PDB file of all heavy atoms in Angstrom:
ATOM      1  N   LEU A 145      -3.013 -18.085   6.684  1.00 89.00           N
ATOM      2  CA  LEU A 145      -4.453 -17.610   6.327  1.00 89.00           C
ATOM      3  C   LEU A 145      -4.606 -17.269   4.827  1.00 89.00           C
ATOM      4  O   LEU A 145      -5.533 -17.744   4.193  1.00 89.00           O
ATOM      5  CB  LEU A 145      -4.991 -16.500   7.090  1.00 89.00           C
ATOM      6  CG  LEU A 145      -5.399 -16.754   8.595  1.00 89.00           C
ATOM      7  CD1 LEU A 145      -5.824 -15.501   9.325  1.00 89.00           C
ATOM      8  CD2 LEU A 145      -6.530 -17.712   8.579  1.00 89.00           C
ATOM      9  N   VAL A 146      -3.498 -16.570   4.337  1.00 92.00           N
ATOM     10  CA  VAL A 146      -3.499 -16.210   2.906  1.00 92.00           C
ATOM     11  C   VAL A 146      -3.623 -17.574   2.092  1.00 92.00           C
ATOM     12  O   VAL A 146      -4.299 -17.630   1.069  1.00 92.00           O
ATOM     13  CB  VAL A 146      -2.280 -15.363   2.590  1.00 92.00           C
ATOM     14  CG1 VAL A 146      -2.310 -15.072   1.082  1.00 92.00           C
ATOM     15  CG2 VAL A 146      -2.357 -14.071   3.364  1.00 92.00           C
ATOM     16  N   GLU A 147      -2.746 -18.516   2.449  1.00 91.00           N
ATOM     17  CA  GLU A 147      -2.672 -19.771   1.609  1.00 91.00           C
ATOM     18  C   GLU A 147      -4.011 -20.326   1.566  1.00 91.00           C
ATOM     19  O   GLU A 147      -4.491 -20.814   0.453  1.00 91.00           O
ATOM     20  CB  GLU A 147      -1.635 -20.804   2.329  1.00 91.00           C
ATOM     21  CG  GLU A 147      -0.330 -20.343   2.125  1.00 91.00           C
ATOM     22  CD  GLU A 147       0.648 -21.412   2.681  1.00 91.00           C
ATOM     23  OE1 GLU A 147       0.450 -21.886   3.875  1.00 91.00           O
ATOM     24  OE2 GLU A 147       1.577 -21.828   2.028  1.00 91.00           O
ATOM     25  N   GLU A 148      -4.769 -20.422   2.764  1.00 86.00           N
ATOM     26  CA  GLU A 148      -6.119 -21.071   2.933  1.00 86.00           C
ATOM     27  C   GLU A 148      -7.165 -20.280   2.031  1.00 86.00           C
ATOM     28  O   GLU A 148      -7.819 -20.901   1.457  1.00 86.00           O
ATOM     29  CB  GLU A 148      -6.493 -21.208   4.394  1.00 86.00           C
ATOM     30  CG  GLU A 148      -7.903 -21.831   4.531  1.00 86.00           C
ATOM     31  CD  GLU A 148      -8.143 -21.837   5.929  1.00 86.00           C
ATOM     32  OE1 GLU A 148      -7.339 -22.125   6.809  1.00 86.00           O
ATOM     33  OE2 GLU A 148      -9.449 -21.656   6.259  1.00 86.00           O
ATOM     34  N   ARG A 149      -6.986 -18.997   2.187  1.00 86.00           N
ATOM     35  CA  ARG A 149      -8.050 -18.172   1.615  1.00 86.00           C
ATOM     36  C   ARG A 149      -8.070 -18.020   0.095  1.00 86.00           C
ATOM     37  O   ARG A 149      -9.014 -18.192  -0.647  1.00 86.00           O
ATOM     38  CB  ARG A 149      -8.063 -16.702   2.129  1.00 86.00           C
ATOM     39  CG  ARG A 149      -9.118 -15.762   1.450  1.00 86.00           C
ATOM     40  CD  ARG A 149      -9.166 -14.478   2.234  1.00 86.00           C
ATOM     41  NE  ARG A 149      -9.825 -14.602   3.496  1.00 86.00           N
ATOM     42  CZ  ARG A 149     -10.298 -13.488   4.227  1.00 86.00           C
ATOM     43  NH1 ARG A 149     -10.157 -12.295   3.759  1.00 86.00           N
ATOM     44  NH2 ARG A 149     -10.899 -13.556   5.395  1.00 86.00           N
ATOM     45  N   PHE A 150      -6.755 -18.185  -0.399  1.00 91.00           N
ATOM     46  CA  PHE A 150      -6.620 -18.018  -1.837  1.00 91.00           C
ATOM     47  C   PHE A 150      -6.139 -19.300  -2.546  1.00 91.00           C
ATOM     48  O   PHE A 150      -5.870 -19.300  -3.832  1.00 91.00           O
ATOM     49  CB  PHE A 150      -5.590 -16.867  -2.134  1.00 91.00           C
ATOM     50  CG  PHE A 150      -6.189 -15.492  -1.848  1.00 91.00           C
ATOM     51  CD1 PHE A 150      -5.761 -14.876  -0.583  1.00 91.00           C
ATOM     52  CD2 PHE A 150      -6.965 -14.857  -2.591  1.00 91.00           C
ATOM     53  CE1 PHE A 150      -6.180 -13.659  -0.183  1.00 91.00           C
ATOM     54  CE2 PHE A 150      -7.499 -13.587  -2.350  1.00 91.00           C
ATOM     55  CZ  PHE A 150      -7.111 -12.971  -1.095  1.00 91.00           C
ATOM     56  N   ASN A 151      -5.982 -20.380  -1.787  1.00 90.00           N
ATOM     57  CA  ASN A 151      -5.550 -21.654  -2.380  1.00 90.00           C
ATOM     58  C   ASN A 151      -4.251 -21.518  -3.056  1.00 90.00           C
ATOM     59  O   ASN A 151      -4.188 -22.012  -4.225  1.00 90.00           O
ATOM     60  CB  ASN A 151      -6.643 -22.252  -3.222  1.00 90.00           C
ATOM     61  CG  ASN A 151      -6.521 -23.669  -3.526  1.00 90.00           C
ATOM     62  OD1 ASN A 151      -5.883 -24.427  -2.698  1.00 90.00           O
ATOM     63  ND2 ASN A 151      -6.966 -24.114  -4.663  1.00 90.00           N
ATOM     64  N   VAL A 152      -3.104 -21.021  -2.350  1.00 95.00           N
ATOM     65  CA  VAL A 152      -1.891 -20.898  -3.063  1.00 95.00           C
ATOM     66  C   VAL A 152      -0.847 -21.490  -2.011  1.00 95.00           C
ATOM     67  O   VAL A 152      -1.175 -21.761  -0.894  1.00 95.00           O
ATOM     68  CB  VAL A 152      -1.554 -19.402  -3.242  1.00 95.00           C
ATOM     69  CG1 VAL A 152      -2.466 -18.965  -4.371  1.00 95.00           C
ATOM     70  CG2 VAL A 152      -1.620 -18.634  -1.934  1.00 95.00           C
ATOM     71  N   ASP A 153       0.373 -21.674  -2.570  1.00 95.00           N
ATOM     72  CA  ASP A 153       1.403 -22.215  -1.623  1.00 95.00           C
ATOM     73  C   ASP A 153       2.459 -21.071  -1.534  1.00 95.00           C
ATOM     74  O   ASP A 153       2.943 -20.536  -2.546  1.00 95.00           O
ATOM     75  CB  ASP A 153       2.132 -23.373  -2.374  1.00 95.00           C
ATOM     76  CG  ASP A 153       3.105 -23.943  -1.585  1.00 95.00           C
ATOM     77  OD1 ASP A 153       3.019 -24.350  -0.442  1.00 95.00           O
ATOM     78  OD2 ASP A 153       4.380 -24.086  -2.000  1.00 95.00           O
ATOM     79  N   ILE A 154       2.746 -20.771  -0.255  1.00 96.00           N
ATOM     80  CA  ILE A 154       3.765 -19.644   0.060  1.00 96.00           C
ATOM     81  C   ILE A 154       4.972 -20.141   0.715  1.00 96.00           C
ATOM     82  O   ILE A 154       4.955 -20.795   1.763  1.00 96.00           O
ATOM     83  CB  ILE A 154       2.967 -18.474   0.869  1.00 96.00           C
ATOM     84  CG1 ILE A 154       1.733 -18.056   0.133  1.00 96.00           C
ATOM     85  CG2 ILE A 154       3.809 -17.383   1.224  1.00 96.00           C
ATOM     86  CD1 ILE A 154       1.002 -16.969   0.926  1.00 96.00           C
ATOM     87  N   SER A 155       6.031 -19.713   0.379  1.00 95.00           N
ATOM     88  CA  SER A 155       7.442 -20.015   0.921  1.00 95.00           C
ATOM     89  C   SER A 155       7.952 -18.761   1.436  1.00 95.00           C
ATOM     90  O   SER A 155       7.934 -17.670   0.716  1.00 95.00           O
ATOM     91  CB  SER A 155       8.290 -20.634   0.087  1.00 95.00           C
ATOM     92  OG  SER A 155       7.752 -22.041  -0.410  1.00 95.00           O
ATOM     93  N   ILE A 156       8.524 -18.775   2.601  1.00 94.00           N
ATOM     94  CA  ILE A 156       9.257 -17.576   3.108  1.00 94.00           C
ATOM     95  C   ILE A 156      10.709 -17.884   3.340  1.00 94.00           C
ATOM     96  O   ILE A 156      11.131 -18.833   3.977  1.00 94.00           O
ATOM     97  CB  ILE A 156       8.674 -17.131   4.534  1.00 94.00           C
ATOM     98  CG1 ILE A 156       7.240 -16.983   4.399  1.00 94.00           C
ATOM     99  CG2 ILE A 156       9.273 -15.847   4.935  1.00 94.00           C
ATOM    100  CD1 ILE A 156       6.416 -16.770   5.796  1.00 94.00           C
ATOM    101  N   LYS A 157      11.575 -17.170   2.574  1.00 90.00           N
ATOM    102  CA  LYS A 157      12.994 -17.496   2.585  1.00 90.00           C
ATOM    103  C   LYS A 157      13.684 -17.042   3.806  1.00 90.00           C
ATOM    104  O   LYS A 157      14.619 -17.822   4.307  1.00 90.00           O
ATOM    105  CB  LYS A 157      13.658 -16.834   1.263  1.00 90.00           C
ATOM    106  CG  LYS A 157      13.434 -17.507  -0.058  1.00 90.00           C
ATOM    107  CD  LYS A 157      14.272 -16.925  -1.088  1.00 90.00           C
ATOM    108  CE  LYS A 157      14.130 -17.754  -2.379  1.00 90.00           C
ATOM    109  NZ  LYS A 157      14.989 -17.267  -3.479  1.00 90.00           N
ATOM    110  N   ASP A 158      13.441 -15.819   4.321  1.00 88.00           N
ATOM    111  CA  ASP A 158      14.104 -15.384   5.489  1.00 88.00           C
ATOM    112  C   ASP A 158      13.415 -15.662   6.744  1.00 88.00           C
ATOM    113  O   ASP A 158      12.320 -15.315   6.974  1.00 88.00           O
ATOM    114  CB  ASP A 158      14.260 -13.773   5.280  1.00 88.00           C
ATOM    115  CG  ASP A 158      15.265 -13.188   6.172  1.00 88.00           C
ATOM    116  OD1 ASP A 158      15.290 -13.666   7.426  1.00 88.00           O
ATOM    117  OD2 ASP A 158      15.922 -12.242   5.803  1.00 88.00           O
ATOM    118  N   GLU A 159      14.085 -16.299   7.727  1.00 86.00           N
ATOM    119  CA  GLU A 159      13.493 -16.758   8.927  1.00 86.00           C
ATOM    120  C   GLU A 159      13.008 -15.407   9.793  1.00 86.00           C
ATOM    121  O   GLU A 159      12.088 -15.453  10.454  1.00 86.00           O
ATOM    122  CB  GLU A 159      14.391 -17.515   9.726  1.00 86.00           C
ATOM    123  CG  GLU A 159      13.753 -18.102  11.118  1.00 86.00           C
ATOM    124  CD  GLU A 159      14.599 -19.088  11.736  1.00 86.00           C
ATOM    125  OE1 GLU A 159      15.721 -19.717  11.134  1.00 86.00           O
ATOM    126  OE2 GLU A 159      14.433 -19.269  12.947  1.00 86.00           O
ATOM    127  N   SER A 160      13.894 -14.390   9.646  1.00 88.00           N
ATOM    128  CA  SER A 160      13.571 -13.206  10.452  1.00 88.00           C
ATOM    129  C   SER A 160      12.137 -12.616   9.953  1.00 88.00           C
ATOM    130  O   SER A 160      11.449 -11.986  10.882  1.00 88.00           O
ATOM    131  CB  SER A 160      14.619 -12.126  10.371  1.00 88.00           C
ATOM    132  OG  SER A 160      14.754 -11.711   8.956  1.00 88.00           O
ATOM    133  N   ILE A 161      11.836 -12.818   8.689  1.00 91.00           N
ATOM    134  CA  ILE A 161      10.562 -12.311   8.248  1.00 91.00           C
ATOM    135  C   ILE A 161       9.335 -13.087   8.804  1.00 91.00           C
ATOM    136  O   ILE A 161       8.433 -12.657   9.236  1.00 91.00           O
ATOM    137  CB  ILE A 161      10.587 -12.255   6.693  1.00 91.00           C
ATOM    138  CG1 ILE A 161      11.586 -11.234   6.152  1.00 91.00           C
ATOM    139  CG2 ILE A 161       9.120 -11.913   6.253  1.00 91.00           C
ATOM    140  CD1 ILE A 161      11.663 -11.327   4.629  1.00 91.00           C
ATOM    141  N   GLN A 162       9.651 -14.496   8.943  1.00 91.00           N
ATOM    142  CA  GLN A 162       8.691 -15.325   9.504  1.00 91.00           C
ATOM    143  C   GLN A 162       8.088 -14.909  10.835  1.00 91.00           C
ATOM    144  O   GLN A 162       6.987 -14.964  11.079  1.00 91.00           O
ATOM    145  CB  GLN A 162       9.177 -16.668   9.430  1.00 91.00           C
ATOM    146  CG  GLN A 162       9.419 -17.410   8.220  1.00 91.00           C
ATOM    147  CD  GLN A 162       9.726 -18.881   8.371  1.00 91.00           C
ATOM    148  OE1 GLN A 162       9.092 -19.534   9.021  1.00 91.00           O
ATOM    149  NE2 GLN A 162      10.735 -19.278   7.590  1.00 91.00           N
ATOM    150  N   THR A 163       8.987 -14.507  11.709  1.00 91.00           N
ATOM    151  CA  THR A 163       8.758 -14.259  13.122  1.00 91.00           C
ATOM    152  C   THR A 163       8.436 -12.758  13.313  1.00 91.00           C
ATOM    153  O   THR A 163       8.100 -12.216  14.435  1.00 91.00           O
ATOM    154  CB  THR A 163       9.828 -14.521  13.942  1.00 91.00           C
ATOM    155  OG1 THR A 163      11.046 -13.974  13.549  1.00 91.00           O
ATOM    156  CG2 THR A 163      10.050 -16.079  13.842  1.00 91.00           C
ATOM    157  N   SER A 164       8.458 -11.996  12.244  1.00 91.00           N
ATOM    158  CA  SER A 164       8.149 -10.408  12.498  1.00 91.00           C
ATOM    159  C   SER A 164       6.645 -10.357  12.755  1.00 91.00           C
ATOM    160  O   SER A 164       5.764 -10.939  12.106  1.00 91.00           O
ATOM    161  CB  SER A 164       8.496  -9.712  11.163  1.00 91.00           C
ATOM    162  OG  SER A 164       8.168  -8.283  11.221  1.00 91.00           O
ATOM    163  N   ARG A 165       6.346  -9.458  13.720  1.00 91.00           N
ATOM    164  CA  ARG A 165       4.904  -9.336  14.209  1.00 91.00           C
ATOM    165  C   ARG A 165       4.371  -7.985  13.676  1.00 91.00           C
ATOM    166  O   ARG A 165       5.112  -7.000  13.628  1.00 91.00           O
ATOM    167  CB  ARG A 165       4.792  -9.353  15.646  1.00 91.00           C
ATOM    168  CG  ARG A 165       5.105 -10.782  16.124  1.00 91.00           C
ATOM    169  CD  ARG A 165       4.779 -10.897  17.707  1.00 91.00           C
ATOM    170  NE  ARG A 165       4.817 -12.283  18.120  1.00 91.00           N
ATOM    171  CZ  ARG A 165       3.825 -13.171  18.130  1.00 91.00           C
ATOM    172  NH1 ARG A 165       2.687 -12.706  17.678  1.00 91.00           N
ATOM    173  NH2 ARG A 165       4.054 -14.402  18.459  1.00 91.00           N
ATOM    174  N   PHE A 166       3.020  -8.074  13.389  1.00 89.00           N
ATOM    175  CA  PHE A 166       2.423  -6.846  12.923  1.00 89.00           C
ATOM    176  C   PHE A 166       0.953  -6.992  13.170  1.00 89.00           C
ATOM    177  O   PHE A 166       0.353  -8.069  13.372  1.00 89.00           O
ATOM    178  CB  PHE A 166       2.789  -6.562  11.429  1.00 89.00           C
ATOM    179  CG  PHE A 166       2.083  -7.508  10.478  1.00 89.00           C
ATOM    180  CD1 PHE A 166       1.164  -7.020   9.598  1.00 89.00           C
ATOM    181  CD2 PHE A 166       2.516  -8.886  10.413  1.00 89.00           C
ATOM    182  CE1 PHE A 166       0.548  -8.003   8.652  1.00 89.00           C
ATOM    183  CE2 PHE A 166       1.906  -9.645   9.577  1.00 89.00           C
ATOM    184  CZ  PHE A 166       0.958  -9.179   8.604  1.00 89.00           C
ATOM    185  N   THR A 167       0.094  -5.991  12.919  1.00 90.00           N
ATOM    186  CA  THR A 167      -1.182  -5.857  12.924  1.00 90.00           C
ATOM    187  C   THR A 167      -1.814  -5.283  11.667  1.00 90.00           C
ATOM    188  O   THR A 167      -1.499  -4.219  11.147  1.00 90.00           O
ATOM    189  CB  THR A 167      -1.777  -4.956  14.222  1.00 90.00           C
ATOM    190  OG1 THR A 167      -1.258  -5.635  15.482  1.00 90.00           O
ATOM    191  CG2 THR A 167      -3.338  -4.912  14.272  1.00 90.00           C
ATOM    192  N   THR A 168      -2.785  -5.936  11.190  1.00 87.00           N
ATOM    193  CA  THR A 168      -3.547  -5.515   9.947  1.00 87.00           C
ATOM    194  C   THR A 168      -4.894  -6.059   9.867  1.00 87.00           C
ATOM    195  O   THR A 168      -5.326  -6.857  10.696  1.00 87.00           O
ATOM    196  CB  THR A 168      -2.704  -5.936   8.686  1.00 87.00           C
ATOM    197  OG1 THR A 168      -3.165  -5.235   7.549  1.00 87.00           O
ATOM    198  CG2 THR A 168      -2.700  -7.423   8.541  1.00 87.00           C
ATOM    199  N   THR A 169      -5.636  -5.708   8.889  1.00 88.00           N
ATOM    200  CA  THR A 169      -6.958  -6.183   8.632  1.00 88.00           C
ATOM    201  C   THR A 169      -6.962  -6.653   7.176  1.00 88.00           C
ATOM    202  O   THR A 169      -6.702  -5.961   6.263  1.00 88.00           O
ATOM    203  CB  THR A 169      -7.997  -5.041   8.822  1.00 88.00           C
ATOM    204  OG1 THR A 169      -8.062  -4.658  10.137  1.00 88.00           O
ATOM    205  CG2 THR A 169      -9.427  -5.620   8.430  1.00 88.00           C
ATOM    206  N   PHE A 170      -7.515  -7.975   6.980  1.00 87.00           N
ATOM    207  CA  PHE A 170      -7.640  -8.441   5.675  1.00 87.00           C
ATOM    208  C   PHE A 170      -9.049  -8.042   5.265  1.00 87.00           C
ATOM    209  O   PHE A 170     -10.072  -8.506   5.839  1.00 87.00           O
ATOM    210  CB  PHE A 170      -7.569  -9.962   5.692  1.00 87.00           C
ATOM    211  CG  PHE A 170      -6.053 -10.509   5.574  1.00 87.00           C
ATOM    212  CD1 PHE A 170      -5.794 -11.790   5.735  1.00 87.00           C
ATOM    213  CD2 PHE A 170      -5.040  -9.569   5.714  1.00 87.00           C
ATOM    214  CE1 PHE A 170      -4.516 -12.278   5.742  1.00 87.00           C
ATOM    215  CE2 PHE A 170      -3.658 -10.012   5.709  1.00 87.00           C
ATOM    216  CZ  PHE A 170      -3.421 -11.429   5.655  1.00 87.00           C
ATOM    217  N   GLU A 171      -9.265  -7.245   4.326  1.00 87.00           N
ATOM    218  CA  GLU A 171     -10.610  -6.760   3.947  1.00 87.00           C
ATOM    219  C   GLU A 171     -11.345  -7.757   3.011  1.00 87.00           C
ATOM    220  O   GLU A 171     -10.716  -8.397   2.166  1.00 87.00           O
ATOM    221  CB  GLU A 171     -10.491  -5.421   3.313  1.00 87.00           C
ATOM    222  CG  GLU A 171      -9.941  -4.298   4.195  1.00 87.00           C
ATOM    223  CD  GLU A 171      -9.741  -3.081   3.436  1.00 87.00           C
ATOM    224  OE1 GLU A 171      -9.884  -2.985   2.186  1.00 87.00           O
ATOM    225  OE2 GLU A 171      -9.446  -1.894   4.100  1.00 87.00           O
ATOM    226  N   LYS A 172     -12.615  -7.801   3.161  1.00 86.00           N
ATOM    227  CA  LYS A 172     -13.376  -8.637   2.274  1.00 86.00           C
ATOM    228  C   LYS A 172     -13.235  -8.258   0.897  1.00 86.00           C
ATOM    229  O   LYS A 172     -13.372  -7.138   0.551  1.00 86.00           O
ATOM    230  CB  LYS A 172     -14.948  -8.518   2.775  1.00 86.00           C
ATOM    231  CG  LYS A 172     -15.826  -9.356   1.791  1.00 86.00           C
ATOM    232  CD  LYS A 172     -17.212  -9.122   2.157  1.00 86.00           C
ATOM    233  CE  LYS A 172     -18.119  -9.832   1.264  1.00 86.00           C
ATOM    234  NZ  LYS A 172     -19.570  -9.620   1.461  1.00 86.00           N
TER     235      LYS A 172
END
């Protein structure tokens, strides 16, 4: 979603980070 909203390219090096779950709110 961050990539789409800000038109950037994001790479995640650590696979464990990719699957980590959390809850947050992206504020306007």
Side-chain angles (χ1 to χ4, degrees):
L145 281 179
V146 176
E147 285 184 314
E148 180 183 323
R149 179 171 288 194
F150 294 98
N151 194 27
V152 294
D153 181 57
I154 301 178
S155 300
I156 308 174
K157 284 190 172 182
D158 193 325
E159 186 174 342
S160 64
I161 295 177
Q162 293 186 43
T163 56
S164 177
R165 290 188 173 273
F166 71 113
T167 296
T168 189
T169 297
F170 283 178
E171 297 177 350
K172 176 186 177 182

